[in-house]
Amino acid sequence: MKITMVAYTKNILERVSFDPKLFCKELEKALKMLLPYEIEQLTVWLLNYTIKKPELRQCLIYVKS
């Protein structure tokens, strides 16, 4: 079964969510590789995911710029 880049990115981000610095770093790397429509999908996911983890909300500046 083939995994999409967005799903792969979500998986990675979930695994590193224990460390906000690492989370931001991985998010930055992912944004360089994803297509515009994939970034939109990831942004929606991030907004929902960071509700439960407010310490990660600082990383949203990368998707808003």
Side-chain angles (χ1 to χ4, degrees):
M1 188 161 117
K2 194 172 185 179
I3 186 167
T4 65
M5 207 48 200
V6 175
Y8 176 75
T9 301
K10 289 177 190 177
N11 190 338
I12 296 295
L13 291 174
E14 287 174 346
R15 289 178 187 213
V16 299
S17 64
F18 64 91
D19 181 3
K21 274 185 157 178
L22 188 54
F23 187 88
C24 290
K25 185 177 177 181
E26 289 297 328
L27 178 58
E28 276 187 287
K29 286 193 320 189
L31 292 173
K32 291 176 185 174
M33 293 185 289
L34 295 175
L35 298 172
Y37 77 93
E38 293 172 321
I39 292 174
E40 288 177 23
Q41 292 174 355
L42 185 64
T43 302
V44 170
W45 177 83
L46 280 169
L47 290 171
N48 289 321
Y49 187 73
T50 57
I51 288 172
K52 298 175 196 153
K53 296 182 178 268
E55 67 275 9
L56 301 176
R57 290 193 74 76
Q58 65 190 4
C59 301
L60 292 176
I61 61 168
Y62 298 113
V63 292
K64 300 216 178 182
S65 55

